[in-house]
């Protein structure tokens, strides 16, 4: 499984990365612009991400905007739905409006910070990723 993590908080990034390494190859970005570039390069190379973990609050582009851009890139190349990345949003902010927006743009899971790895695993199971 190819995994992209976009997380500006070092501790969260390290925790998520260590946890997900057992499931596949993990690439890490530290802001929204870098995440979009990494995703675009992967699409151009035909090496699609299976899972993307996006922090909602990131520098340059927030996770909601990154999610929207990811879905637009997938749509532009007519990527079949079964090949589109599954997306988990993470955030320390308990804002129902942001969570609702994330699901409207096509995220499949949500995990609150601080990251509870057991809860994270349950979200992955529910999504059929593990």
């Amino acid at each position: 499984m190819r995994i992209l993590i976009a997380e500006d908080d070092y501790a969260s990034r390290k925790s998520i990365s260590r946890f997900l390494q057992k499931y596949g190859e993990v690439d890490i970005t530290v802001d929204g612009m870098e995440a979009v570039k990494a995703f675009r390069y992967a699409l151009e190379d035909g090496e699609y991400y299976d899972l993307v973990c996006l922090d909602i609050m990131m520098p340059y582009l927030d996770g909601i905007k990154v999610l929207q851009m990811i879905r637009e890139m997938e749509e532009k190349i007519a990527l079949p739905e079964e090949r589109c990345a599954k997306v988990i949003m993470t955030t320390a902010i308990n804002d129902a409006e942001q969570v609702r927006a994330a699901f409207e743009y096509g995220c499949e899971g949500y995990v609150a910070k601080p990251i509870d790895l057991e809860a994270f695993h349950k979200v992955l199971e529910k999504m059929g990723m593990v």
Side-chain angles (χ1 to χ4, degrees):
M1 173 176 9
R2 291 203 67 227
I3 303 162
L4 176 64
I5 298 169
E7 172 62 64
D8 65 324
D9 177 69
Y10 177 79
S12 295
R13 186 170 59 240
K14 195 75 167 166
S15 175
I16 295 168
S17 173
R18 281 187 182 154
F19 174 72
L20 290 174
Q21 284 178 348
K22 62 186 166 196
Y23 299 114
E25 176 187 339
V26 177
D27 292 332
I28 300 169
T29 61
V30 297
D31 64 57
M33 288 296 291
E34 196 176 70
V36 170
K37 287 178 186 175
F39 195 86
R40 183 181 312 118
Y41 293 148
L43 284 181
E44 289 170 358
D45 291 344
E47 305 228 350
Y48 312 129
Y49 286 106
D50 302 295
L51 176 65
V52 178
C53 300
L54 295 174
D55 182 13
I56 290 180
M57 302 293 290
M58 289 188 292
Y60 307 114
L61 287 175
D62 66 53
I64 304 288
K65 184 63 178 170
V66 173
L67 173 59
Q68 184 180 12
M69 294 173 78
I70 284 172
R71 294 305 185 217
E72 288 170 0
M73 285 186 273
E74 290 172 332
E75 187 177 315
K76 185 176 181 179
I77 66 166
L79 194 63
E81 188 175 333
E82 64 273 5
R83 285 298 304 138
C84 290
K86 301 283 189 200
V87 177
I88 296 175
M89 304 300 288
T90 62
T91 189
I93 297 174
N94 190 6
D95 182 348
E97 184 62 28
Q98 284 189 326
V99 173
R100 184 193 58 74
F103 280 98
E104 283 182 6
Y105 282 114
C107 88
E108 288 85 6
Y110 167 82
V111 178
K113 292 183 190 177
I115 301 295
D116 174 344
L117 296 179
E118 192 172 310
F120 202 98
H121 187 265
K122 287 180 182 176
V123 170
L124 289 172
E125 284 180 332
K126 183 178 177 183
M127 293 169 47
M129 300 298 293
V130 294

